[in-house]
Amino acid sequence: SSLGSQDNKLRLVEVASGAVVREVEHRDSVRAVAFNHDGSLVATGSDDKKLRLVEAASGQVVREVEHGDEVRAFAFNHDGSLV
């Protein structure tokens, strides 16, 4: 599972134990979080005006897209090729 927060972090949490297994920093509050269809990527939207794509397994940011305003909502399409 995943959590976004006002402390500027995405947290990936192991469901069984509740342990935080990864954290990814933004420069402002994380407002939106979604996994792609196979769970390999996590997208985050933030008040820092960026959408980030993060590998769930490693926590590495693989893409960062600048937006003109705060990113508060988004969705993956059915096959995960578009956000």
Side-chain angles (χ1 to χ4, degrees):
S1 101
S2 62
L3 302 168
S5 69
Q6 290 186 342
D7 69 356
N8 308 348
K9 294 179 184 178
L10 161 71
R11 289 181 178 83
L12 298 178
V13 177
E14 184 179 85
V15 174
S17 68
V20 174
V21 294
R22 309 250 183 294
E23 288 188 343
V24 178
E25 291 275 340
H26 271 272
R27 289 182 204 92
D28 209 333
S29 297
V30 177
R31 300 293 186 168
V33 178
F35 282 92
N36 69 343
H37 70 286
D38 68 4
S40 63
L41 291 174
V42 182
T44 62
S46 174
D47 286 351
D48 68 5
K49 302 180 181 179
K50 293 185 180 169
L51 172 83
R52 288 195 174 122
L53 297 175
V54 177
E55 287 182 345
S58 68
Q60 293 296 311
V61 176
V62 295
R63 179 110 36 218
E64 187 174 88
V65 179
E66 186 79 30
H67 189 272
D69 206 347
E70 297 159 339
V71 181
R72 296 198 172 196
F74 54 83
F76 283 95
N77 70 340
H78 71 283
D79 68 0
S81 63
L82 297 172
V83 177

